Structures are given as C-alpha cells and as structure tokens.
Amino acid sequence: MKNLLLITPPFTQLNTPYPATAYIKGFLNTKNISAYQMDLGIEVILELFSKKGLESLFQVSSFKFGEFGPNSQRIYALKDEYIKTIDSVIAFLQGKNPSLARQICAGNFLPEASRFDQLDDMEFAFGSMGMQDKAKHLATLYLEDLSDFIVECVDENFGFSRYAERLGRSANSFDELYNHLQNERTFIDEITIKILNNRIEEVQPKLVLISVPFPGNLYSAFRCAQFLKANFPNVKIAMGGGFPNTELRELKDQRVFEFFDFITLDDGELPVELLHNFICHSELVSESEFKRTFLLENNQVVYKNTTTRHDYKQSEVGTPDYSDLLLDKYISVIEIANPMHSLWSDGRWNKLTMAHGCYWGKCTFCDISLDYIKLYEPIAAKILVDRMEELIAQTGENGFHFVDEAAPPALMREVALEIIKRKLVVTWWTNIRFEKSFTADLCFLLKESGCIAVSGGLEVATDRLLELIKKGVTVEQVAKVTRNFTESGIMVHAYLMYGYPTQTIQETVDSLEMVRQLFELGVLQSGFWHQFAMTAHSPVGMFPEEFGVIPEQNKITFANNDINFKDKTGINHDKFSFGLKKSLFNFMHGICFDYDLQDWFDFKIPKTKIAPDFISNCLEKEQNFTTKPNAKVVWLGKNPQVETFTKSKKGNSWEMMKLTFHNKTHTFDIVLNKTEGEWLVSVLELLSIQAEHKITFSQLKANFESELADFELFWYGKPVQTLRKSGLLLL
C-alpha cells in the first residue's frame, strides 16, 4: 500500500519514461511520503503488441473485414505471421534478443505491408549505423504497419506517442471531449482500464496524481479518472503537468470536476505536498492550504493559492526516482536512418534538468509569460553530477538527456569539468541556444565529458525574422557554432519554423536555401520543420497587433493555448509543409543537395536570393583571435615524456626539449627551447583539470613573463597551437 499513485497516461515515448512522475517521486522521497508510479502508456503498448494482444486485436477487427482497404486486408491476411513474430520483435527492441537482428536483416522474416514501400537503399542509409540499427528500423516499420491497421480498423485515435490528440488540441470548450467520454470504451481503453484497475487494487492509494504533459495524453487521463470515480469513489484524483500548466489556466467548466478533484499548475512539488497533507493527514492540518490549485466549491470552479509557503528551490527537490517503472521493458525504435534524429526514439535516457526556466526568455513565439520559462534558476554543477551518479546507481544506465528549455553554456562547461574531474563515463545531450559562447574549445570540452549531441532553434533562417523573433542570433553565428560542435564530434539538430507572422514567400524559400547549405556543408545533421503556432502566453499571442496578425476570439471555458489567426500578408503557409519536410528528409540522408528548390514544390516559387556560397563564406571569415583575460586555461591531457637534446648551428649550440604526448587516438611531439619546455611542463600540472584552482589567461601570461620574454609569441607559436588542438583549452 502507498498513499499516492503517480500515473503517466497513454501515450508519450516508447523508449524511455516521460520524467514528470520520477521528478515528483524524487521530491516526495525527501519528505518521506510513500508513492508508487507507473507509465500506463508503455504498459498498454506491451499488452497490445504481444501475442495475446494481437490475437484479440485481429478478432475484434474481423467483423469489419469487408470495409478494410487493400493494405489492411494484406495485414489481416498475414495475421498469423504477425502473431508468431510479435513477442520476438518486442524482445529485440527491448535489447533482450540481439541475435534476431541477423534474421530480420536477412529478409523474409517480418511480414511487410505499405510502410516497407519507403525502403530505398538500405545499405546506403545504414552504412554508418550497422546491422542492429538496420534491424531496429525494419522492426519499427513492422510496428508502424500494425499501427496503420489499428487506426483504420480498430481505433482511429491510436498513435505510438499520442492518443486522441485531436480532442485535446485547442479545445476552448469541454463539450467535444465530454461527449466523447460518454461513448463506449474503445479497444485501447479496455486494455488501459484493466491494467489501471489491477494497479489500484494492488497499491490502494488515497490520492492518484495523473500527469498530462501533452494534448495526446488528455483523453486517456479523463478516461482513467472517469473509471476511478465510478469504481473507487473514495480515491481523490488530481491532474498536473505540461498540458494544464499551459492550457487550463482559465478553466471554468464545472464538468471537468466530475472527473478530477484537483488540477494544479506549474511546479508540482509544493502543490502535491499540500494535497497529500490535506487528504492523507487532514487531522494534522488546522486550515487547508493549497498552492496554484483549481477545485470545485459550491458547484463553482475556484482557484486557490492560499499558502504563504514559497516553491522549493531546485537544490531542494531531490534526485528523480525511476523506481517502479519498467525500465528494462521500454522499446527502442528507429524511424529514419539518421543517427541524430534517432536519439529521441532509440535508447534509454535518464532525464535531468540543468536549470529551471530559460536564461534568455525573450523569443516572441515562446510562452515566456509562464513560470516554467520565466523563472530561471540554475542548479549547481556539483549537485547535478551528484544526481547523475545517483541515477546511474539506481537505473544502471549512464545515458542522460538534459531536458532544459535552453541549457546555459557556462553551466554546461562546469558540468563537463565536474564529469571529467570525477572520471565518470556518461553519454549526454541537451537543448541549447546557438550562442557564440560555444567556442571550438568549449565544444571540445563538452565532447570529452560525453556530450554526443545538441538540439537548438534556428527557427526561420533569415536575419530579419530572427530579429523580429528576438532570437538573439544571426544565421552566420548559427553556422559558426554548428561548425564548432560538428568539428568536435557533437551532432546538431535544428528546430526550424515557417509561417511566422509577416514571413514572405521569398523568406521561406531563402530559409530553405540556408538550411540546404548548412546540411550540404555537414554542419547540421538533423532538423525538423514546425509551422508557426500562435499561443496564448507568448508575446505574439498577447500582443497580436504588434506582429500583424488578427486572432480568432473564442469564449474560453476549458483549454486555451493555440489560437487560430489570420496573417495580414494573406499567405497560405500550409502549402509549403510537404515540400519543406520532403526536402529536409532527403538532406538528412545526405542526398539531393543539387536539386533546384523548385523541384520540392508543385506550385511556382521565386528563385532564392541567397548566394550559393553564403554559409561557406560565413565559415571562412577570419576568426577573432583576441582572448578574454579572465578565460580559464585547462589542460585535459596527460603529462608528457620529456627528452632534452643539444642543437648546434654554425658553431653555436643550445639546449632543446622534446615533449611527447599520448592521447586516445595518436602520439605527437612538440619541440621547444629548454627554458620554455621546463616552464610548460611545470605549468601543465597547474592547468590540470584535477587542480583545485583554475588559472586565468592573464595569470598564465603574467607567470610566463615573470620568467621569460614575449608570451604572445610563445602562445601563438606552432608548439602551443599543436597543444591547443589536443586539449589545452581556453574556457
């Protein structure tokens, strides 16, 4: 028995748990509050995609066989093959049956339907990724075929990472969702409710907390709550998470509270603690306290923020706790043959946050008025790396995804230094802004610490729109930063946007040309085009007249986030969607750079005004060699082997020193006069990452010039520049 049950309803990710319940459970541990958590989504997927699940699925769908399209008829005709192979395929995708890769890749093992039609040159696509990844991709297509069958024949709302998302999107009124909830339960609902019922009887909670991160979780959250109200009336139910935080801030419809007793907003730690006290220890609470909580009083929706207590600091919320979750049963899939793109769906990642909120907080399309963006609070590097070590011990996984809005470069540097100092072996990636702070040296350091990838917003790749968005970067800066990451061995994914207010057709075409050049030069590895969506809590949504858009005004009684609008330019940006996404798909596979941009569209577009060598010229511009005096100098390498020798010329002789360095990939020498060599050997000890105090560039210069002559001549000479490429960093 546990007082609290934390649930993520169907569906989020197949390969790793959505972290909200783990964050809350980690916090509850610090308060000695017992809680059990479950990812109901992965449990439903595992039940559905099993031998027993498919037998039921094909039996339920058999009554509609006459209505099937040709693809579904083929899948149904091959149902015995799917039933025979499904358990083996799922085990393979869970990492438990690696030898199956050979059989999958050999062909004639998996039944194939329409998703396999997109297979072109598998050897080309997977030459850099290997047999296991090729087999994962084929197994992913196999699951997507089954998903297509479910959507056509059993449940049109099914999706691997979302369920009935349409009902949760821009639902200004609760009517449609409420009416849908009066219908009979679907096949997916029945699986969901059966698993939930078993868990409730096992845990016997007093309070069920349902985390709803996205619109694609909303319907299932209400279905679960509906079942609990009907069958476990004494259990209280609360909703929190990303969806209510952004969409339910103006909630007025009393019918919502036929399903939920409480809905909390923003950071969940203190609201949940107060709800726990109110429900589980009411005898100890003299007066009920709530933090940012909606509830029903006298048949009216009221918002209560009655406590005087402040939210917990990030240093106080504890380490996320992934216990109870079925960590060894998540499914790694590869949708497209791109190593960067597969990070979102392949592999198990412990999720952490470097900083609460966004340190930039100015982008005009972003919800910068809400606390989850607005309130910026970084966590100390030592605490973060402590939490990483705790999670490795707890989960057995050393992969980390920092899910920040934008990880701060200075904090990333300190985290990387701490990881290297502790000699941890970790693999990590995060979301960033393409700041000029990401120098070649900082990228080198991040790679050494285990950083394998970053994702960041290029958005609209034209400088006028980047300024209008208040992105704080230029296309040239993005090109240089992505080059720094790529050359250090860190992959880069760019979020791209089209249809921003006042964006012209010419700017959309020019933006695509910029993206084409970035991919062709190899400084971007992955990307995704999003059509601009106007949200209620962004500057564009709050002050639409300043951005030349006319919003549709609807009465809000339920959700309010995405706002329909008309752009005064009158351009239909929807028509660009297919061409932008198809071109990007090909660029991500390293092909079709020579196509004319017109080839991607079935309507006339203007010629690009961007020079074909624009990005190349940006990257060739001379770098600024000035060094900040307060930059820290760090040596990541080992101590050298030292050899002295005498050099003679025209009757003169002088002592020289050869320093031999061994790094992970090669051995190299540098030769200096003996005095400079001795100084360098002694100072490398002080610059070691293990040294207690870091030396600045100005201190290093002063130290050199107290004993020797011209520091600049020494620093910019060939021997030191050779070291600079091998781990002598300015940070």
Side-chain angles (χ1 to χ4, degrees):
M1 285 179 60
K2 298 284 175 78
N3 283 338
L4 274 62
L5 175 61
L6 315 172
I7 299 174
T8 306
F11 293 112
T12 49
Q13 284 177 274
L14 294 175
N15 64 309
T16 201
Y18 191 79
T21 62
Y23 277 46
I24 291 295
K25 180 161 182 176
F27 163 73
L28 293 172
N29 290 342
T30 70
K31 299 294 171 185
N32 294 317
I33 296 172
S34 66
Y36 189 96
Q37 66 181 326
M38 67 183 301
D39 179 352
L40 192 48
I42 195 65
E43 295 197 37
V44 170
I45 290 288
L46 293 173
E47 180 85 14
L48 176 58
F49 291 93
S50 66
K51 184 178 179 183
K52 184 180 168 189
L54 290 192
E55 284 171 346
S56 299
L57 176 75
F58 287 121
Q59 187 179 354
V60 165
S61 62
S62 62
F63 305 111
K64 289 184 173 181
F65 183 75
E67 302 167 27
F68 292 177
N71 190 56
S72 291
Q73 286 186 5
R74 172 171 171 76
I75 292 170
Y76 188 83
L78 292 168
K79 65 181 186 297
D80 290 342
E81 292 299 323
Y82 284 103
I83 290 166
K84 181 178 92 174
T85 52
I86 187 65
D87 286 345
S88 297
V89 170
I90 293 295
F92 168 70
L93 292 174
Q94 291 170 332
K96 296 172 184 169
N97 190 9
S99 60
L100 192 70
R102 295 179 181 277
Q103 203 165 352
I104 292 172
C105 292
N108 201 28
F109 173 71
L110 298 178
E112 299 179 9
S114 64
R115 293 287 182 148
F116 286 77
D117 295 345
Q118 63 192 258
L119 285 178
D120 293 322
D121 188 346
M122 285 291 285
E123 294 312 314
F124 165 77
F126 283 92
S128 61
M129 292 180 78
M131 182 185 290
Q132 290 289 323
D133 287 332
K134 179 179 173 182
K136 275 185 194 174
H137 181 57
L138 292 168
T140 302
L141 298 178
Y142 161 95
L143 290 181
E144 286 175 338
D145 275 334
L146 285 168
S147 172
D148 292 343
F149 180 84
I150 293 168
V151 170
E152 184 183 349
C153 308
V154 179
D155 190 339
E156 65 181 0
N157 290 312
F158 178 75
F160 280 117
S161 59
R162 59 189 61 85
Y163 187 56
E165 184 179 51
R166 179 186 57 80
L167 295 171
R169 280 207 170 280
S170 306
N172 298 152
S173 164
F174 188 47
D175 289 349
E176 186 180 6
L177 178 54
Y178 185 78
N179 292 337
H180 206 85
L181 289 162
Q182 310 315 310
N183 296 340
E184 282 188 21
R185 295 203 292 246
T186 65
F187 181 72
I188 307 292
D189 289 339
E190 293 293 353
I191 297 173
T192 304
I193 295 305
K194 184 186 91 172
I195 296 169
L196 176 62
N197 181 62
N198 291 342
R199 198 58 46 82
I200 292 286
E201 289 181 347
E202 178 188 322
V203 178
Q204 297 182 23
K206 295 177 182 175
L207 172 62
V208 172
L209 302 164
I210 301 180
S211 177
V212 183
F214 308 114
N217 305 93
L218 187 70
Y219 166 78
S220 282
F222 273 90
R223 265 296 187 214
C224 291
Q226 182 184 49
F227 168 77
L228 293 173
K229 282 289 174 199
N231 296 276
F232 300 91
N234 295 328
V235 174
K236 298 297 182 187
I237 312 165
M239 181 204 296
F243 182 86
N245 293 350
T246 52
E247 310 240 6
L248 298 185
R249 305 186 80 87
E250 298 169 57
L251 181 63
K252 298 181 184 70
D253 197 317
Q254 301 98 316
R255 293 175 298 173
V256 171
F257 293 90
E258 294 173 22
F259 304 84
F260 291 93
D261 299 290
F262 310 98
I263 295 177
T264 70
L265 302 182
D266 302 327
D267 292 356
E269 288 85 5
L270 184 54
V272 165
E273 182 187 4
L274 294 175
L275 283 180
H276 167 264
N277 293 345
F278 177 66
I279 290 160
C280 302
H281 299 293
S282 54
E283 72 284 355
L284 303 176
V285 180
S286 55
E287 194 173 321
S288 57
E289 287 186 301
F290 296 98
K291 187 79 170 177
R292 296 185 301 270
T293 301
F294 283 110
L295 48 93
L296 203 63
E297 270 188 0
N298 303 319
N299 207 35
Q300 292 297 312
V301 179
V302 294
Y303 179 71
K304 295 215 165 186
N305 198 18
T306 53
T307 185
T308 55
R309 292 173 60 185
H310 296 294
D311 281 302
Y312 288 94
K313 296 285 185 192
Q314 291 302 298
S315 58
E316 301 169 336
V317 298
T319 301
D321 181 351
Y322 285 90
S323 61
D324 310 325
L325 298 173
L326 310 177
L327 296 182
D328 61 339
K329 296 200 175 161
Y330 282 83
I331 301 166
S332 285
V333 295
I334 295 180
E335 293 161 44
I336 67 171
N338 179 290
M340 172 74 217
H341 206 271
S342 67
L343 290 179
W344 278 274
S345 63
D346 183 23
R348 252 276 301 122
W349 303 101
N350 294 318
K351 299 200 178 187
L352 280 173
T353 312
M354 288 195 190
H356 182 288
C358 179
Y359 67 92
W360 179 249
K362 296 177 187 175
C363 298
T364 54
F365 61 84
C366 188
D367 293 339
I368 60 175
S369 65
L370 297 183
D371 284 355
Y372 82 96
I373 302 284
K374 183 173 67 177
L375 299 181
Y376 174 65
E377 185 195 342
I379 304 169
K382 282 187 167 64
I383 293 175
L384 275 169
V385 182
D386 286 345
R387 290 179 181 175
M388 292 174 80
E389 292 200 274
E390 285 180 52
L391 283 172
I392 292 169
Q394 180 198 126
T395 66
E397 299 281 355
N398 65 355
F400 290 86
H401 182 193
F402 289 98
V403 291
D404 292 63
E405 299 300 322
L411 182 53
M412 288 173 70
R413 178 192 68 207
E414 294 307 310
V415 167
L417 287 168
E418 190 66 24
I419 288 169
I420 296 169
K421 199 171 181 179
R422 297 193 195 186
K423 299 185 171 139
L424 288 184
V425 177
V426 293
T427 303
W428 63 276
W429 56 297
T430 190
N431 196 46
I432 61 158
R433 295 182 69 252
F434 292 117
E435 297 273 13
K436 59 180 181 290
S437 315
F438 288 110
T439 61
D441 281 19
L442 178 53
C443 292
F444 187 108
L445 175 77
L446 297 175
K447 177 69 170 69
E448 282 292 304
S449 73
C451 178
I452 55 163
V454 292
S455 56
L458 171 53
E459 320 307 352
V460 279
T462 65
D463 286 341
R464 181 190 80 84
L465 288 169
L466 284 170
E467 193 172 334
L468 190 63
I469 283 174
K470 296 188 179 174
K471 192 71 189 172
V473 299
T474 62
V475 176
E476 180 177 324
Q477 182 179 313
V478 171
K480 288 178 176 176
V481 169
T482 55
R483 186 261 316 274
N484 290 343
F485 277 114
T486 301
E487 287 186 349
S488 71
I490 294 173
M491 297 183 290
V492 185
H493 173 91
Y495 297 108
L496 305 162
M497 184 190 293
Y498 64 102
Y500 189 81
T502 74
Q503 184 169 357
T504 64
I505 291 173
Q506 184 67 57
E507 285 173 322
T508 300
V509 172
D510 290 349
S511 190
L512 175 58
E513 172 59 17
M514 294 284 204
V515 170
R516 185 195 69 77
Q517 291 185 29
L518 287 164
F519 273 95
E520 186 174 30
L521 289 167
V523 296
L524 269 189
Q525 287 74 50
S526 173
F528 189 83
W529 285 106
H530 302 256
Q531 187 164 356
F532 169 76
M534 187 163 90
T535 60
H537 311 291
S538 68
V540 182
M542 293 189 292
F543 312 107
E545 64 286 347
E546 293 179 17
F547 296 89
V549 293
I550 303 162
E552 284 183 19
Q553 302 291 350
N554 293 330
K555 185 181 177 186
I556 308 297
T557 57
F558 185 54
N560 182 28
N561 193 38
D562 287 7
I563 301 171
N564 291 327
F565 66 94
K566 287 180 181 165
D567 188 334
K568 287 179 182 175
T569 62
I571 296 168
N572 173 20
H573 294 286
D574 296 355
K575 66 182 182 180
F576 288 94
S577 178
F578 181 79
L580 290 173
K581 290 175 180 176
K582 185 175 182 183
S583 60
L584 185 63
F585 181 84
N586 284 279
F587 297 162
M588 285 200 297
H589 287 85
I591 54 176
C592 301
F593 297 122
D594 55 343
Y595 279 35
D596 192 295
L597 298 186
Q598 178 65 68
D599 295 343
W600 301 113
F601 301 94
D602 58 3
F603 55 91
K604 187 72 178 161
I605 61 166
K607 290 274 186 194
T608 181
K609 292 185 176 178
I610 305 300
D613 55 358
F614 177 85
I615 298 294
S616 179
N617 289 339
C618 289
L619 297 178
E620 285 171 8
K621 283 186 183 176
E622 286 218 4
Q623 291 181 316
N624 182 1
F625 282 106
T626 57
T627 301
K628 290 180 182 174
N630 61 346
K632 304 282 194 301
V633 190
V634 174
W635 169 238
L636 297 182
K638 307 279 190 293
N639 292 334
Q641 293 170 310
V642 179
E643 182 185 330
T644 55
F645 63 96
T646 303
K647 191 171 180 180
S648 301
K649 191 173 183 182
K650 294 183 180 178
N652 295 319
S653 63
W654 57 95
E655 286 193 286
M656 301 291 290
M657 186 175 279
K658 182 170 86 166
L659 306 181
T660 302
F661 294 86
H662 300 276
N663 67 21
K664 283 178 275 192
T665 57
H666 64 284
T667 300
F668 63 95
D669 301 325
I670 64 171
V671 177
L672 296 157
N673 67 56
K674 187 181 178 190
T675 314
E676 287 180 345
E678 287 175 340
W679 179 87
L680 183 60
V681 170
S682 67
V683 89
L684 285 179
E685 292 271 357
L686 302 175
L687 301 179
S688 161
I689 201 155
Q690 300 298 336
E692 195 63 37
H693 300 290
K694 297 289 178 276
I695 293 175
T696 65
F697 185 73
S698 61
Q699 289 169 334
L700 189 69
K701 181 175 186 283
N703 184 308
F704 182 91
E705 291 178 346
S706 69
E707 299 178 31
L708 299 152
D710 189 335
F711 180 72
E712 272 76 14
L713 199 63
F714 171 76
W715 184 259
Y716 293 108
K718 186 178 176 183
V720 172
Q721 290 307 300
T722 301
L723 279 187
R724 297 273 287 113
K725 291 173 185 170
S726 298
L728 182 60
L729 307 179
L730 284 170
L731 301 168

